[in-house]
Short mmCIF file of all heavy atoms in Angstrom, two decimals:
data_model
loop_
_atom_site.label_atom_id
_atom_site.label_comp_id
_atom_site.label_asym_id
_atom_site.label_seq_id
_atom_site.Cartn_x
_atom_site.Cartn_y
_atom_site.Cartn_z
N HIS U 1316 -3.00 19.99 -14.99
CA HIS U 1316 -4.09 20.58 -14.22
C HIS U 1316 -4.98 21.40 -15.16
O HIS U 1316 -4.77 22.60 -15.34
CB HIS U 1316 -3.55 21.48 -13.09
CG HIS U 1316 -2.78 20.72 -12.05
ND1 HIS U 1316 -1.47 20.34 -12.24
CD2 HIS U 1316 -3.14 20.26 -10.81
CE1 HIS U 1316 -1.05 19.69 -11.17
NE2 HIS U 1316 -2.04 19.62 -10.29
N PRO U 1317 -6.00 20.73 -15.76
CA PRO U 1317 -6.84 21.40 -16.77
C PRO U 1317 -7.74 22.49 -16.19
O PRO U 1317 -8.35 23.25 -16.93
CB PRO U 1317 -7.67 20.26 -17.36
CG PRO U 1317 -7.65 19.19 -16.32
CD PRO U 1317 -6.35 19.32 -15.60
N PHE U 1318 -7.85 22.56 -14.87
CA PHE U 1318 -8.61 23.64 -14.25
C PHE U 1318 -7.96 23.99 -12.92
O PHE U 1318 -7.21 23.19 -12.34
CB PHE U 1318 -10.09 23.26 -14.04
CG PHE U 1318 -10.30 22.08 -13.12
CD1 PHE U 1318 -10.45 22.25 -11.74
CD2 PHE U 1318 -10.36 20.78 -13.62
CE1 PHE U 1318 -10.64 21.17 -10.90
CE2 PHE U 1318 -10.54 19.68 -12.78
CZ PHE U 1318 -10.68 19.89 -11.42
N ILE U 1319 -8.22 25.22 -12.44
CA ILE U 1319 -7.68 25.68 -11.16
C ILE U 1319 -8.84 25.94 -10.20
O ILE U 1319 -9.78 26.67 -10.52
CB ILE U 1319 -6.86 26.98 -11.34
CG1 ILE U 1319 -5.57 26.70 -12.13
CG2 ILE U 1319 -6.53 27.61 -9.98
CD1 ILE U 1319 -4.55 25.86 -11.41
N LEU U 1320 -8.76 25.29 -9.05
CA LEU U 1320 -9.72 25.50 -7.97
C LEU U 1320 -8.89 25.80 -6.74
O LEU U 1320 -8.15 24.95 -6.26
CB LEU U 1320 -10.56 24.23 -7.78
CG LEU U 1320 -11.51 24.18 -6.58
CD1 LEU U 1320 -12.61 25.23 -6.71
CD2 LEU U 1320 -12.13 22.79 -6.44
N HIS U 1321 -8.99 27.04 -6.21
CA HIS U 1321 -8.01 27.45 -5.19
C HIS U 1321 -8.62 28.43 -4.18
O HIS U 1321 -9.32 29.37 -4.54
CB HIS U 1321 -6.82 28.12 -5.87
CG HIS U 1321 -5.74 28.54 -4.91
ND1 HIS U 1321 -5.02 27.65 -4.15
CD2 HIS U 1321 -5.27 29.79 -4.57
CE1 HIS U 1321 -4.15 28.30 -3.39
NE2 HIS U 1321 -4.29 29.60 -3.63
N TYR U 1322 -8.32 28.15 -2.92
CA TYR U 1322 -8.65 29.10 -1.85
C TYR U 1322 -7.43 29.98 -1.62
O TYR U 1322 -6.34 29.48 -1.34
CB TYR U 1322 -9.02 28.35 -0.56
CG TYR U 1322 -9.01 29.23 0.68
CD1 TYR U 1322 -9.82 30.37 0.76
CD2 TYR U 1322 -8.18 28.94 1.76
CE1 TYR U 1322 -9.80 31.19 1.89
CE2 TYR U 1322 -8.16 29.74 2.89
CZ TYR U 1322 -8.97 30.87 2.95
OH TYR U 1322 -8.95 31.68 4.05
N ILE U 1323 -7.59 31.28 -1.77
CA ILE U 1323 -6.47 32.22 -1.62
C ILE U 1323 -6.19 32.42 -0.14
O ILE U 1323 -6.92 33.13 0.56
CB ILE U 1323 -6.79 33.57 -2.31
CG1 ILE U 1323 -7.05 33.34 -3.80
CG2 ILE U 1323 -5.65 34.57 -2.12
CD1 ILE U 1323 -7.51 34.57 -4.56
N THR U 1324 -5.14 31.73 0.34
CA THR U 1324 -4.87 31.75 1.78
C THR U 1324 -4.47 33.14 2.27
O THR U 1324 -4.73 33.50 3.42
CB THR U 1324 -3.74 30.75 2.12
OG1 THR U 1324 -2.61 31.02 1.29
CG2 THR U 1324 -4.19 29.32 1.89
N SER U 1325 -3.86 33.94 1.39
CA SER U 1325 -3.47 35.29 1.82
C SER U 1325 -4.67 36.21 2.01
O SER U 1325 -4.54 37.31 2.54
CB SER U 1325 -2.48 35.91 0.82
OG SER U 1325 -3.03 35.94 -0.48
N SER U 1326 -5.86 35.75 1.62
CA SER U 1326 -7.06 36.59 1.82
C SER U 1326 -7.33 36.81 3.30
O SER U 1326 -7.96 37.79 3.69
CB SER U 1326 -8.28 35.95 1.15
OG SER U 1326 -8.59 34.70 1.75
N ALA U 1327 -6.83 35.88 4.14
CA ALA U 1327 -7.04 36.04 5.58
C ALA U 1327 -6.25 37.21 6.15
O ALA U 1327 -6.49 37.66 7.27
CB ALA U 1327 -6.64 34.75 6.30
N LEU U 1328 -5.30 37.74 5.35
CA LEU U 1328 -4.44 38.82 5.84
C LEU U 1328 -5.08 40.20 5.71
O LEU U 1328 -4.62 41.15 6.32
CB LEU U 1328 -3.11 38.84 5.06
CG LEU U 1328 -2.28 37.54 5.03
CD1 LEU U 1328 -1.08 37.72 4.13
CD2 LEU U 1328 -1.84 37.17 6.44
N VAL U 1329 -6.09 40.30 4.88
CA VAL U 1329 -6.59 41.63 4.51
C VAL U 1329 -8.10 41.73 4.69
O VAL U 1329 -8.79 40.74 4.91
CB VAL U 1329 -6.23 41.95 3.04
CG1 VAL U 1329 -4.73 42.10 2.88
CG2 VAL U 1329 -6.74 40.87 2.12
N GLU U 1330 -8.61 42.97 4.61
CA GLU U 1330 -10.05 43.18 4.76
C GLU U 1330 -10.80 42.87 3.47
O GLU U 1330 -11.98 42.55 3.48
CB GLU U 1330 -10.36 44.63 5.16
CG GLU U 1330 -9.96 44.99 6.59
CD GLU U 1330 -8.46 45.25 6.73
OE1 GLU U 1330 -7.83 45.61 5.71
OE2 GLU U 1330 -7.92 45.03 7.83
N GLU U 1331 -10.13 42.99 2.35
CA GLU U 1331 -10.79 42.78 1.06
C GLU U 1331 -9.75 42.23 0.09
O GLU U 1331 -8.57 42.57 0.16
CB GLU U 1331 -11.34 44.12 0.54
CG GLU U 1331 -12.19 44.00 -0.72
CD GLU U 1331 -13.41 43.12 -0.52
OE1 GLU U 1331 -14.18 43.34 0.44
OE2 GLU U 1331 -13.57 42.16 -1.29
N ILE U 1332 -10.18 41.36 -0.79
CA ILE U 1332 -9.26 40.80 -1.77
C ILE U 1332 -9.85 40.97 -3.16
O ILE U 1332 -11.03 40.70 -3.38
CB ILE U 1332 -8.98 39.31 -1.46
CG1 ILE U 1332 -7.70 38.84 -2.17
CG2 ILE U 1332 -10.09 38.40 -1.83
CD1 ILE U 1332 -6.46 39.08 -1.39
N PRO U 1333 -9.10 41.47 -4.13
CA PRO U 1333 -9.63 41.66 -5.49
C PRO U 1333 -9.58 40.34 -6.26
O PRO U 1333 -8.58 40.03 -6.91
CB PRO U 1333 -8.69 42.70 -6.08
CG PRO U 1333 -7.38 42.51 -5.35
CD PRO U 1333 -7.70 41.95 -4.01
N LEU U 1334 -10.67 39.56 -6.21
CA LEU U 1334 -10.67 38.25 -6.85
C LEU U 1334 -10.49 38.34 -8.37
O LEU U 1334 -9.97 37.42 -8.99
CB LEU U 1334 -11.96 37.50 -6.52
CG LEU U 1334 -12.09 37.01 -5.07
CD1 LEU U 1334 -13.42 36.32 -4.85
CD2 LEU U 1334 -10.96 36.07 -4.70
N GLN U 1335 -10.96 39.46 -8.97
CA GLN U 1335 -10.79 39.60 -10.42
C GLN U 1335 -9.32 39.62 -10.80
O GLN U 1335 -8.92 39.21 -11.87
CB GLN U 1335 -11.53 40.83 -10.97
CG GLN U 1335 -11.00 42.17 -10.49
CD GLN U 1335 -11.63 42.62 -9.18
OE1 GLN U 1335 -12.09 41.78 -8.40
NE2 GLN U 1335 -11.66 43.93 -8.95
N ARG U 1336 -8.48 40.13 -9.87
CA ARG U 1336 -7.05 40.14 -10.12
C ARG U 1336 -6.52 38.70 -10.22
O ARG U 1336 -5.70 38.38 -11.09
CB ARG U 1336 -6.34 40.88 -8.97
CG ARG U 1336 -4.83 40.90 -9.06
CD ARG U 1336 -4.34 41.74 -10.22
NE ARG U 1336 -2.99 41.39 -10.61
CZ ARG U 1336 -2.39 41.81 -11.72
NH1 ARG U 1336 -3.06 42.58 -12.56
NH2 ARG U 1336 -1.17 41.46 -11.99
N ALA U 1337 -7.01 37.85 -9.34
CA ALA U 1337 -6.57 36.44 -9.33
C ALA U 1337 -6.98 35.73 -10.61
O ALA U 1337 -6.20 34.99 -11.21
CB ALA U 1337 -7.14 35.73 -8.12
N THR U 1338 -8.23 35.95 -11.05
CA THR U 1338 -8.68 35.24 -12.25
C THR U 1338 -8.01 35.76 -13.52
O THR U 1338 -7.82 35.03 -14.48
CB THR U 1338 -10.22 35.36 -12.39
OG1 THR U 1338 -10.60 36.73 -12.34
CG2 THR U 1338 -10.92 34.60 -11.28
N LYS U 1339 -7.61 37.04 -13.53
CA LYS U 1339 -6.93 37.60 -14.71
C LYS U 1339 -5.57 36.95 -14.92
O LYS U 1339 -5.08 36.86 -16.04
CB LYS U 1339 -6.75 39.12 -14.55
CG LYS U 1339 -7.98 39.91 -14.99
CD LYS U 1339 -7.73 41.40 -14.85
CE LYS U 1339 -8.99 42.17 -15.22
NZ LYS U 1339 -8.84 43.61 -14.99
N LEU U 1340 -4.96 36.49 -13.81
CA LEU U 1340 -3.66 35.86 -13.92
C LEU U 1340 -3.74 34.44 -14.50
O LEU U 1340 -2.73 33.82 -14.80
CB LEU U 1340 -2.99 35.79 -12.54
CG LEU U 1340 -2.54 37.15 -11.96
CD1 LEU U 1340 -2.18 36.99 -10.49
CD2 LEU U 1340 -1.35 37.69 -12.74
N CYS U 1341 -4.96 33.94 -14.61
CA CYS U 1341 -5.16 32.55 -15.09
C CYS U 1341 -6.21 32.56 -16.19
O CYS U 1341 -7.39 32.38 -15.91
CB CYS U 1341 -5.59 31.67 -13.92
SG CYS U 1341 -5.90 29.96 -14.37
N GLN U 1342 -5.78 32.80 -17.42
CA GLN U 1342 -6.73 32.92 -18.53
C GLN U 1342 -6.66 31.74 -19.50
O GLN U 1342 -7.41 31.69 -20.47
CB GLN U 1342 -6.48 34.23 -19.29
CG GLN U 1342 -6.70 35.45 -18.41
CD GLN U 1342 -6.62 36.76 -19.18
OE1 GLN U 1342 -6.67 36.77 -20.41
NE2 GLN U 1342 -6.50 37.86 -18.46
N ASP U 1343 -5.77 30.77 -19.20
CA ASP U 1343 -5.59 29.67 -20.15
C ASP U 1343 -6.47 28.46 -19.83
O ASP U 1343 -6.43 27.46 -20.52
CB ASP U 1343 -4.12 29.24 -20.18
CG ASP U 1343 -3.61 28.84 -18.79
OD1 ASP U 1343 -4.32 29.10 -17.81
OD2 ASP U 1343 -2.49 28.29 -18.72
N ARG U 1344 -7.27 28.54 -18.75
CA ARG U 1344 -8.11 27.40 -18.36
C ARG U 1344 -9.18 27.88 -17.38
O ARG U 1344 -9.09 28.99 -16.84
CB ARG U 1344 -7.26 26.33 -17.69
CG ARG U 1344 -6.55 26.82 -16.44
CD ARG U 1344 -5.48 25.88 -15.96
NE ARG U 1344 -4.17 26.52 -15.93
CZ ARG U 1344 -3.12 26.05 -15.30
NH1 ARG U 1344 -3.20 24.91 -14.66
NH2 ARG U 1344 -1.97 26.69 -15.32
N PRO U 1345 -10.21 27.06 -17.10
CA PRO U 1345 -11.22 27.46 -16.11
C PRO U 1345 -10.59 27.67 -14.74
O PRO U 1345 -9.70 26.91 -14.34
CB PRO U 1345 -12.18 26.26 -16.10
CG PRO U 1345 -11.98 25.59 -17.41
CD PRO U 1345 -10.53 25.77 -17.75
N VAL U 1346 -11.06 28.69 -14.03
CA VAL U 1346 -10.50 28.98 -12.72
C VAL U 1346 -11.63 29.37 -11.77
O VAL U 1346 -12.55 30.10 -12.15
CB VAL U 1346 -9.44 30.11 -12.79
CG1 VAL U 1346 -10.02 31.38 -13.41
CG2 VAL U 1346 -8.85 30.41 -11.41
N LEU U 1347 -11.55 28.84 -10.53
CA LEU U 1347 -12.51 29.20 -9.49
C LEU U 1347 -11.68 29.50 -8.24
O LEU U 1347 -10.96 28.63 -7.74
CB LEU U 1347 -13.49 28.04 -9.23
CG LEU U 1347 -14.78 28.35 -8.44
CD1 LEU U 1347 -15.78 27.20 -8.59
CD2 LEU U 1347 -14.55 28.62 -6.97
N VAL U 1348 -11.74 30.77 -7.80
CA VAL U 1348 -10.96 31.17 -6.63
C VAL U 1348 -11.88 31.62 -5.51
O VAL U 1348 -12.98 32.15 -5.76
CB VAL U 1348 -9.94 32.28 -6.96
CG1 VAL U 1348 -8.83 31.74 -7.84
CG2 VAL U 1348 -10.63 33.46 -7.62
N ILE U 1349 -11.42 31.39 -4.27
CA ILE U 1349 -12.24 31.68 -3.10
C ILE U 1349 -11.41 32.53 -2.13
O ILE U 1349 -10.20 32.33 -2.00
CB ILE U 1349 -12.65 30.37 -2.38
CG1 ILE U 1349 -13.32 29.41 -3.37
CG2 ILE U 1349 -13.56 30.66 -1.19
CD1 ILE U 1349 -12.45 28.26 -3.78
N SER U 1350 -12.08 33.46 -1.45
CA SER U 1350 -11.42 34.24 -0.40
C SER U 1350 -12.29 34.25 0.85
O SER U 1350 -13.50 34.02 0.78
CB SER U 1350 -11.19 35.68 -0.88
OG SER U 1350 -12.42 36.37 -0.97
N MET U 1351 -11.64 34.49 1.97
CA MET U 1351 -12.38 34.66 3.22
C MET U 1351 -11.72 35.78 4.01
O MET U 1351 -10.62 35.63 4.53
CB MET U 1351 -12.36 33.36 4.03
CG MET U 1351 -13.58 33.21 4.96
SD MET U 1351 -13.40 33.91 6.59
CE MET U 1351 -12.63 32.59 7.47
N CYS U 1352 -12.40 36.94 4.04
CA CYS U 1352 -11.89 38.10 4.76
C CYS U 1352 -12.90 38.51 5.80
O CYS U 1352 -14.09 38.66 5.50
CB CYS U 1352 -11.65 39.28 3.80
SG CYS U 1352 -10.71 38.88 2.34
N ASP U 1353 -12.44 38.70 7.03
CA ASP U 1353 -13.34 39.13 8.12
C ASP U 1353 -14.62 38.30 8.19
O ASP U 1353 -15.73 38.82 8.24
CB ASP U 1353 -13.69 40.62 7.95
CG ASP U 1353 -12.50 41.51 8.25
OD1 ASP U 1353 -11.58 41.04 8.95
OD2 ASP U 1353 -12.49 42.66 7.79
N SER U 1354 -14.46 36.97 8.14
CA SER U 1354 -15.56 36.01 8.27
C SER U 1354 -16.58 36.09 7.14
O SER U 1354 -17.72 35.64 7.29
CB SER U 1354 -16.29 36.18 9.63
OG SER U 1354 -15.38 35.95 10.69
N VAL U 1355 -16.19 36.68 6.01
CA VAL U 1355 -17.08 36.72 4.84
C VAL U 1355 -16.40 35.96 3.70
O VAL U 1355 -15.26 36.28 3.33
CB VAL U 1355 -17.39 38.17 4.39
CG1 VAL U 1355 -18.19 38.16 3.08
CG2 VAL U 1355 -18.17 38.89 5.48
N VAL U 1356 -17.08 34.91 3.19
CA VAL U 1356 -16.52 34.13 2.10
C VAL U 1356 -17.09 34.61 0.77
O VAL U 1356 -18.28 34.90 0.65
CB VAL U 1356 -16.80 32.61 2.31
CG1 VAL U 1356 -18.28 32.30 2.29
CG2 VAL U 1356 -16.09 31.78 1.26
N LYS U 1357 -16.20 34.74 -0.22
CA LYS U 1357 -16.60 35.12 -1.57
C LYS U 1357 -15.92 34.17 -2.55
O LYS U 1357 -14.94 33.51 -2.21
CB LYS U 1357 -16.17 36.57 -1.88
CG LYS U 1357 -16.89 37.63 -1.08
CD LYS U 1357 -16.42 39.02 -1.50
CE LYS U 1357 -17.14 40.11 -0.71
NZ LYS U 1357 -16.69 41.46 -1.12
N ALA U 1358 -16.44 34.13 -3.80
CA ALA U 1358 -15.82 33.30 -4.82
C ALA U 1358 -16.06 33.92 -6.19
O ALA U 1358 -17.02 34.68 -6.39
CB ALA U 1358 -16.40 31.89 -4.78
#
Side-chain angles (χ1 to χ4, degrees):
H1316 295 80
F1318 62 89
I1319 292 292
L1320 173 65
H1321 182 65
Y1322 164 58
I1323 300 174
T1324 53
S1325 57
S1326 63
L1328 305 175
V1329 293
E1330 289 78 25
E1331 187 60 52
I1332 199 87
L1334 289 178
Q1335 66 273 25
R1336 177 68 201 168
T1338 54
K1339 276 182 183 175
L1340 290 168
C1341 179
Q1342 298 187 15
D1343 57 349
R1344 60 193 121 165
V1346 57
L1347 196 166
V1348 291
I1349 307 105
S1350 70
M1351 207 272 274
C1352 310
D1353 288 340
S1354 299
V1355 174
V1356 63
K1357 292 182 180 180

